[in-house]
Amino acid sequence: MKHCLIVDDSRVVRTVAGRIIQDLSFTVSEAAHGAEALELCRKDMPDAILLDWNMPVMNGLDFLRALRREDNGKDPVVVFCTNENDSEHISEAIRAGANEYIMKPFDAEIVESKFSEVGLV
Amino acid sequence: MQESTFNELADLALRNSGQHFAPTKSYLMDARLSNISRRESFATLDDLVQCLKARPNPRFEQEVAAALTSKKTSFFAERETIEQIVTHALPQRLKLSKSGILRIWCAGTSTGQEAWSLAMRIREDVGSPLASAQIEIIGSDLSTDCVETAKRGVYGHFDVQKGLSIHRLMTNFNRHDNGEWEIKDDLRETVFFRRQNLLNPASDLGGFDVILCSNIISSLAKPAKRQVLETLSKQMLPDAYLFFGPDESIEGLSSSIKPSRDMRGAFIRTSSDSATAAA
């Protein structure tokens, strides 16, 4: 079973996204900010990461840049999931190494479609 | 909804679009006619039908029939068929083309996502022979509202996130400040939309190298299926390809078309009286 790490400072979003992603046959773990996510990745690199942008301690973009510098840090498929929905933010995320981008609000169909685009389902 | 109302609406759909409604699908009528009903201030569909009977209005009847059709679509919904068209059918047609012009008809394209998807995918084949071809895509639908939406090429937050990768979104759309996304101008140059009832002849559309008609046939009554297949087959240029939805069968419905031996999922004409109005 594939493993997805959900990184979002909102517990509600983590719970909702977690249920959707579990239904796609993933095991799910959670982190509330980028620094916590980086710690978890160093212990157990996930197959996929659903990543919010604006979070305390370390934001999503800084986390992604740090992740891609880690050993095996290029392996996880990273899907941003954020309220930052303008073209500039999307371009910046792709340049930093994001594989897909979900604009909030989202539903199960969008998550499945985006995961499908990057070969996760 | 009264049984007589269901019967009237089912007859109306059959007459105008060939669509077949089983009695168990009356909930679809409620859902699909809710906007018209609200706009015209009908409390129930029974009232709407009474009005149509009391004051016959062909234009309103057509609008109701169009509203009763399925609008369900998304970008790249028929991904495998699009790949088959771009990587096999169009290159094959290009080899036979003297003019270098290839014409595609997306018949029953609803709000246009299928036609736009095809245009996007074709444009990605930069290094292929298709890059030098002049390709025209015509999208048609029974519903004037759908055709207008398709022409506008402006789609909402949820629409552009289903079936479209972020790379395709960024390459082919501009974002509006209100969060909607609009097809870029350069993609618009090859795609055209118009209203077309597939029960009627479409000879003024000219001949096509490829026709894609997904998820239309399966919703129709048998005589309408035959009529639509006739309409489509008449617009096929010699050796052109016709594609349906992946789960749709036309077995026993038409002697004019048959499965292609060379092209998986495609149909070709059996006779030689195909469209001569070549582009």
Short mmCIF file of all heavy atoms in Angstrom, two decimals, chain A residues 85-87 90-91 94 99-107 109-110 113-114 117, chain B residues 72 76 79 157-158 160-170 173-175 181:
data_model
loop_
_atom_site.label_atom_id
_atom_site.label_comp_id
_atom_site.label_asym_id
_atom_site.label_seq_id
_atom_site.Cartn_x
_atom_site.Cartn_y
_atom_site.Cartn_z
N ASN A 85 -4.10 30.45 -5.53
CA ASN A 85 -4.60 29.90 -6.80
C ASN A 85 -4.23 30.70 -8.04
O ASN A 85 -4.79 30.48 -9.11
CB ASN A 85 -6.13 29.78 -6.73
CG ASN A 85 -6.58 28.74 -5.72
OD1 ASN A 85 -5.76 27.94 -5.26
ND2 ASN A 85 -7.84 28.74 -5.38
N ASP A 86 -3.33 31.65 -7.91
CA ASP A 86 -2.97 32.46 -9.09
C ASP A 86 -1.80 31.83 -9.84
O ASP A 86 -1.07 30.99 -9.30
CB ASP A 86 -2.64 33.89 -8.67
CG ASP A 86 -1.52 33.93 -7.66
OD1 ASP A 86 -1.79 33.78 -6.45
OD2 ASP A 86 -0.36 34.05 -8.08
N SER A 87 -1.64 32.26 -11.09
CA SER A 87 -0.64 31.65 -11.99
C SER A 87 0.77 31.78 -11.43
O SER A 87 1.59 30.87 -11.61
CB SER A 87 -0.71 32.31 -13.37
OG SER A 87 -2.01 32.23 -13.86
N ILE A 90 1.43 29.15 -8.84
CA ILE A 90 1.50 27.81 -9.46
C ILE A 90 2.85 27.63 -10.16
O ILE A 90 3.51 26.60 -10.00
CB ILE A 90 0.32 27.61 -10.45
CG1 ILE A 90 -1.01 27.65 -9.70
CG2 ILE A 90 0.47 26.30 -11.21
CD1 ILE A 90 -2.26 27.68 -10.59
N SER A 91 3.26 28.65 -10.90
CA SER A 91 4.55 28.56 -11.61
C SER A 91 5.70 28.40 -10.63
O SER A 91 6.64 27.61 -10.86
CB SER A 91 4.79 29.82 -12.46
OG SER A 91 3.78 29.93 -13.43
N ILE A 94 5.83 24.84 -9.33
CA ILE A 94 6.35 23.89 -10.33
C ILE A 94 7.87 24.03 -10.43
O ILE A 94 8.60 23.03 -10.48
CB ILE A 94 5.67 24.11 -11.69
CG1 ILE A 94 4.18 23.70 -11.60
CG2 ILE A 94 6.36 23.32 -12.80
CD1 ILE A 94 3.34 24.08 -12.80
N ASN A 99 4.83 18.38 -8.45
CA ASN A 99 4.39 17.57 -9.59
C ASN A 99 2.97 17.90 -10.02
O ASN A 99 2.61 17.75 -11.18
CB ASN A 99 4.47 16.08 -9.24
CG ASN A 99 5.85 15.66 -8.82
OD1 ASN A 99 6.17 15.68 -7.64
ND2 ASN A 99 6.69 15.33 -9.78
N GLU A 100 2.14 18.28 -9.07
CA GLU A 100 0.76 18.66 -9.39
C GLU A 100 0.30 19.75 -8.43
O GLU A 100 1.02 20.09 -7.49
CB GLU A 100 -0.20 17.46 -9.32
CG GLU A 100 -0.62 16.92 -10.69
CD GLU A 100 -1.32 17.93 -11.58
OE1 GLU A 100 -1.86 18.93 -11.07
OE2 GLU A 100 -1.34 17.74 -12.81
N TYR A 101 -0.88 20.28 -8.70
CA TYR A 101 -1.34 21.44 -7.93
C TYR A 101 -2.86 21.38 -7.81
O TYR A 101 -3.57 21.35 -8.81
CB TYR A 101 -0.94 22.70 -8.68
CG TYR A 101 -0.81 23.95 -7.85
CD1 TYR A 101 0.44 24.38 -7.40
CD2 TYR A 101 -1.92 24.72 -7.52
CE1 TYR A 101 0.58 25.54 -6.64
CE2 TYR A 101 -1.79 25.88 -6.76
CZ TYR A 101 -0.53 26.29 -6.33
OH TYR A 101 -0.39 27.44 -5.59
N ILE A 102 -3.33 21.34 -6.59
CA ILE A 102 -4.77 21.38 -6.33
C ILE A 102 -5.11 22.74 -5.74
O ILE A 102 -4.46 23.19 -4.79
CB ILE A 102 -5.20 20.26 -5.35
CG1 ILE A 102 -5.03 18.89 -6.00
CG2 ILE A 102 -6.65 20.47 -4.89
CD1 ILE A 102 -5.27 17.72 -5.06
N MET A 103 -6.09 23.39 -6.34
CA MET A 103 -6.53 24.69 -5.84
C MET A 103 -7.71 24.47 -4.91
O MET A 103 -8.71 23.86 -5.30
CB MET A 103 -6.94 25.59 -7.01
CG MET A 103 -5.78 25.85 -7.98
SD MET A 103 -6.25 26.87 -9.40
CE MET A 103 -7.04 25.67 -10.47
N LYS A 104 -7.61 24.92 -3.68
CA LYS A 104 -8.73 24.82 -2.73
C LYS A 104 -9.84 25.79 -3.12
O LYS A 104 -9.52 26.87 -3.62
CB LYS A 104 -8.25 25.13 -1.31
CG LYS A 104 -7.33 24.07 -0.70
CD LYS A 104 -6.89 24.55 0.68
CE LYS A 104 -5.94 23.56 1.34
NZ LYS A 104 -5.37 24.07 2.60
N PRO A 105 -11.12 25.47 -2.88
CA PRO A 105 -11.59 24.23 -2.28
C PRO A 105 -11.52 23.07 -3.26
O PRO A 105 -11.54 23.25 -4.47
CB PRO A 105 -13.04 24.56 -1.93
CG PRO A 105 -13.45 25.59 -2.93
CD PRO A 105 -12.22 26.41 -3.19
N PHE A 106 -11.46 21.86 -2.70
CA PHE A 106 -11.34 20.67 -3.53
C PHE A 106 -12.39 19.65 -3.11
O PHE A 106 -13.02 19.78 -2.06
CB PHE A 106 -9.94 20.07 -3.40
CG PHE A 106 -9.60 19.64 -2.00
CD1 PHE A 106 -9.89 18.36 -1.56
CD2 PHE A 106 -8.99 20.51 -1.11
CE1 PHE A 106 -9.59 17.96 -0.27
CE2 PHE A 106 -8.68 20.12 0.19
CZ PHE A 106 -8.99 18.85 0.61
N ASP A 107 -12.58 18.64 -3.95
CA ASP A 107 -13.45 17.53 -3.58
C ASP A 107 -12.74 16.22 -3.95
O ASP A 107 -11.62 16.24 -4.47
CB ASP A 107 -14.83 17.64 -4.26
CG ASP A 107 -14.74 17.64 -5.78
OD1 ASP A 107 -13.69 17.25 -6.33
OD2 ASP A 107 -15.73 18.01 -6.44
N GLU A 109 -13.28 14.07 -6.22
CA GLU A 109 -13.05 13.86 -7.66
C GLU A 109 -11.78 14.59 -8.12
O GLU A 109 -11.02 14.08 -8.94
CB GLU A 109 -14.27 14.36 -8.43
CG GLU A 109 -14.52 13.62 -9.72
CD GLU A 109 -15.76 14.14 -10.43
OE1 GLU A 109 -16.72 14.58 -9.76
OE2 GLU A 109 -15.75 14.13 -11.66
N ILE A 110 -11.57 15.78 -7.58
CA ILE A 110 -10.37 16.55 -7.95
C ILE A 110 -9.11 15.84 -7.45
O ILE A 110 -8.14 15.68 -8.19
CB ILE A 110 -10.44 17.99 -7.39
CG1 ILE A 110 -11.47 18.81 -8.15
CG2 ILE A 110 -9.07 18.67 -7.45
CD1 ILE A 110 -11.69 20.23 -7.62
N SER A 113 -8.49 12.87 -9.60
CA SER A 113 -8.04 13.28 -10.93
C SER A 113 -6.57 13.71 -10.90
O SER A 113 -5.77 13.32 -11.75
CB SER A 113 -8.91 14.44 -11.44
OG SER A 113 -8.37 14.98 -12.61
N LYS A 114 -6.21 14.50 -9.91
CA LYS A 114 -4.82 14.99 -9.82
C LYS A 114 -3.85 13.86 -9.50
O LYS A 114 -2.74 13.81 -10.05
CB LYS A 114 -4.73 16.11 -8.78
CG LYS A 114 -5.47 17.38 -9.17
CD LYS A 114 -4.85 18.00 -10.41
CE LYS A 114 -5.41 19.36 -10.71
NZ LYS A 114 -4.74 20.01 -11.86
N GLU A 117 -3.28 12.04 -12.64
CA GLU A 117 -2.41 12.75 -13.58
C GLU A 117 -0.93 12.42 -13.34
O GLU A 117 -0.13 12.43 -14.26
CB GLU A 117 -2.60 14.27 -13.46
CG GLU A 117 -3.90 14.79 -14.03
CD GLU A 117 -4.02 14.64 -15.53
OE1 GLU A 117 -2.98 14.54 -16.21
OE2 GLU A 117 -5.16 14.60 -16.02
N LYS B 72 -23.00 15.93 -18.86
CA LYS B 72 -21.84 15.44 -18.12
C LYS B 72 -20.63 15.32 -19.04
O LYS B 72 -20.66 14.62 -20.04
CB LYS B 72 -22.17 14.06 -17.52
CG LYS B 72 -21.14 13.55 -16.55
CD LYS B 72 -21.67 12.32 -15.84
CE LYS B 72 -20.61 11.53 -15.10
NZ LYS B 72 -19.56 12.27 -14.46
N PHE B 76 -10.50 15.74 -21.13
CA PHE B 76 -9.84 14.45 -21.32
C PHE B 76 -10.66 13.29 -20.75
O PHE B 76 -10.09 12.31 -20.26
CB PHE B 76 -8.41 14.47 -20.76
CG PHE B 76 -7.49 15.32 -21.58
CD1 PHE B 76 -7.34 16.67 -21.30
CD2 PHE B 76 -6.81 14.79 -22.66
CE1 PHE B 76 -6.52 17.48 -22.09
CE2 PHE B 76 -5.98 15.58 -23.45
CZ PHE B 76 -5.84 16.93 -23.16
N ARG B 79 -9.82 9.89 -22.62
CA ARG B 79 -8.36 10.04 -22.78
C ARG B 79 -7.79 9.05 -23.79
O ARG B 79 -6.99 9.41 -24.65
CB ARG B 79 -7.71 9.84 -21.42
CG ARG B 79 -6.30 10.33 -21.29
CD ARG B 79 -5.89 10.29 -19.83
NE ARG B 79 -6.63 11.27 -19.05
CZ ARG B 79 -6.08 12.35 -18.48
NH1 ARG B 79 -4.80 12.56 -18.61
NH2 ARG B 79 -6.81 13.19 -17.80
N HIS B 157 -13.39 26.83 -11.45
CA HIS B 157 -12.40 26.23 -10.57
C HIS B 157 -12.48 24.69 -10.55
O HIS B 157 -11.46 24.01 -10.65
CB HIS B 157 -12.68 26.82 -9.18
CG HIS B 157 -11.92 26.25 -8.06
ND1 HIS B 157 -10.78 26.84 -7.60
CD2 HIS B 157 -12.14 25.16 -7.30
CE1 HIS B 157 -10.32 26.13 -6.59
NE2 HIS B 157 -11.13 25.11 -6.38
N PHE B 158 -13.69 24.15 -10.43
CA PHE B 158 -13.84 22.70 -10.34
C PHE B 158 -13.68 22.04 -11.70
O PHE B 158 -13.08 20.98 -11.82
CB PHE B 158 -15.19 22.33 -9.71
CG PHE B 158 -15.22 22.54 -8.22
CD1 PHE B 158 -15.57 23.77 -7.69
CD2 PHE B 158 -14.85 21.53 -7.35
CE1 PHE B 158 -15.57 23.98 -6.31
CE2 PHE B 158 -14.85 21.72 -5.96
CZ PHE B 158 -15.22 22.95 -5.44
N VAL B 160 -11.80 22.92 -14.27
CA VAL B 160 -10.42 22.84 -14.79
C VAL B 160 -9.54 21.93 -13.94
O VAL B 160 -8.38 21.69 -14.30
CB VAL B 160 -9.76 24.24 -14.90
CG1 VAL B 160 -10.50 25.12 -15.88
CG2 VAL B 160 -9.61 24.91 -13.54
N GLN B 161 -10.07 21.43 -12.84
CA GLN B 161 -9.24 20.55 -12.01
C GLN B 161 -9.61 19.08 -12.20
O GLN B 161 -9.07 18.22 -11.53
CB GLN B 161 -9.37 20.93 -10.54
CG GLN B 161 -8.81 22.32 -10.27
CD GLN B 161 -8.43 22.50 -8.81
OE1 GLN B 161 -7.36 22.12 -8.39
NE2 GLN B 161 -9.33 23.07 -8.05
N LYS B 162 -10.54 18.81 -13.11
CA LYS B 162 -10.93 17.43 -13.36
C LYS B 162 -10.51 17.03 -14.77
O LYS B 162 -11.10 17.49 -15.74
CB LYS B 162 -12.43 17.24 -13.15
CG LYS B 162 -12.79 17.40 -11.67
CD LYS B 162 -14.26 17.49 -11.39
CE LYS B 162 -14.46 17.77 -9.90
NZ LYS B 162 -15.84 18.10 -9.56
N GLY B 163 -9.47 16.24 -14.88
CA GLY B 163 -8.99 15.76 -16.17
C GLY B 163 -7.83 16.55 -16.73
O GLY B 163 -7.18 16.11 -17.66
N LEU B 164 -7.59 17.73 -16.20
CA LEU B 164 -6.49 18.56 -16.71
C LEU B 164 -5.31 18.54 -15.74
O LEU B 164 -5.49 18.82 -14.56
CB LEU B 164 -6.93 20.03 -16.82
CG LEU B 164 -7.65 20.50 -18.07
CD1 LEU B 164 -7.92 21.99 -17.95
CD2 LEU B 164 -6.86 20.21 -19.32
N SER B 165 -4.13 18.24 -16.25
CA SER B 165 -2.94 18.38 -15.41
C SER B 165 -2.66 19.87 -15.21
O SER B 165 -3.12 20.71 -15.99
CB SER B 165 -1.74 17.71 -16.08
OG SER B 165 -1.35 18.48 -17.20
N ILE B 166 -1.89 20.19 -14.20
CA ILE B 166 -1.57 21.59 -13.95
C ILE B 166 -0.74 22.16 -15.12
O ILE B 166 -0.87 23.34 -15.46
CB ILE B 166 -0.84 21.76 -12.58
CG1 ILE B 166 -0.87 23.21 -12.14
CG2 ILE B 166 0.59 21.24 -12.63
CD1 ILE B 166 -2.24 23.74 -11.85
N HIS B 167 0.05 21.31 -15.76
CA HIS B 167 0.84 21.79 -16.90
C HIS B 167 -0.07 22.17 -18.07
O HIS B 167 0.14 23.19 -18.73
CB HIS B 167 1.87 20.73 -17.31
CG HIS B 167 2.90 20.49 -16.25
ND1 HIS B 167 3.96 21.33 -16.05
CD2 HIS B 167 2.98 19.54 -15.30
CE1 HIS B 167 4.68 20.89 -15.03
NE2 HIS B 167 4.11 19.80 -14.55
N ARG B 168 -1.06 21.34 -18.32
CA ARG B 168 -2.01 21.67 -19.41
C ARG B 168 -2.82 22.91 -19.06
O ARG B 168 -3.10 23.73 -19.93
CB ARG B 168 -2.94 20.48 -19.68
CG ARG B 168 -2.27 19.40 -20.52
CD ARG B 168 -3.21 18.29 -20.89
NE ARG B 168 -2.58 17.42 -21.87
CZ ARG B 168 -2.69 16.09 -21.88
NH1 ARG B 168 -3.43 15.47 -20.98
NH2 ARG B 168 -2.07 15.37 -22.79
N LEU B 169 -3.18 23.05 -17.82
CA LEU B 169 -3.94 24.23 -17.41
C LEU B 169 -3.11 25.50 -17.65
O LEU B 169 -3.59 26.47 -18.23
CB LEU B 169 -4.33 24.13 -15.93
CG LEU B 169 -5.12 25.31 -15.38
CD1 LEU B 169 -6.51 25.40 -16.00
CD2 LEU B 169 -5.26 25.21 -13.85
N MET B 170 -1.87 25.47 -17.21
CA MET B 170 -1.03 26.66 -17.33
C MET B 170 -0.66 26.97 -18.78
O MET B 170 -0.49 28.11 -19.17
CB MET B 170 0.25 26.47 -16.50
CG MET B 170 -0.01 26.36 -15.01
SD MET B 170 -0.61 27.91 -14.32
CE MET B 170 0.92 28.82 -14.23
N PHE B 173 -4.56 27.97 -20.67
CA PHE B 173 -5.58 28.85 -20.09
C PHE B 173 -4.94 30.10 -19.47
O PHE B 173 -3.80 30.06 -19.01
CB PHE B 173 -6.35 28.14 -18.96
CG PHE B 173 -7.25 27.02 -19.41
CD1 PHE B 173 -6.73 25.78 -19.75
CD2 PHE B 173 -8.63 27.20 -19.48
CE1 PHE B 173 -7.56 24.74 -20.16
CE2 PHE B 173 -9.46 26.17 -19.88
CZ PHE B 173 -8.92 24.94 -20.23
N ASN B 174 -5.72 31.17 -19.46
CA ASN B 174 -5.38 32.36 -18.67
C ASN B 174 -6.35 32.42 -17.49
O ASN B 174 -7.54 32.12 -17.64
CB ASN B 174 -5.53 33.63 -19.50
CG ASN B 174 -4.46 33.73 -20.57
OD1 ASN B 174 -3.28 33.46 -20.32
ND2 ASN B 174 -4.86 34.12 -21.77
N ARG B 175 -5.84 32.85 -16.34
CA ARG B 175 -6.71 32.93 -15.15
C ARG B 175 -7.33 34.32 -15.06
O ARG B 175 -6.64 35.33 -15.23
CB ARG B 175 -5.90 32.64 -13.89
CG ARG B 175 -6.74 32.59 -12.62
CD ARG B 175 -5.87 32.24 -11.42
NE ARG B 175 -6.64 32.11 -10.20
CZ ARG B 175 -6.99 33.13 -9.41
NH1 ARG B 175 -6.61 34.36 -9.71
NH2 ARG B 175 -7.70 32.92 -8.32
N TRP B 181 -11.07 30.30 -15.47
CA TRP B 181 -9.94 30.11 -16.38
C TRP B 181 -10.45 30.13 -17.83
O TRP B 181 -11.41 29.45 -18.16
CB TRP B 181 -9.25 28.78 -16.07
CG TRP B 181 -8.58 28.75 -14.74
CD1 TRP B 181 -9.19 28.58 -13.51
CD2 TRP B 181 -7.18 28.93 -14.46
NE1 TRP B 181 -8.26 28.64 -12.51
CE2 TRP B 181 -7.02 28.84 -13.05
CE3 TRP B 181 -6.06 29.14 -15.25
CZ2 TRP B 181 -5.79 28.96 -12.43
CZ3 TRP B 181 -4.81 29.25 -14.63
CH2 TRP B 181 -4.68 29.17 -13.25
#
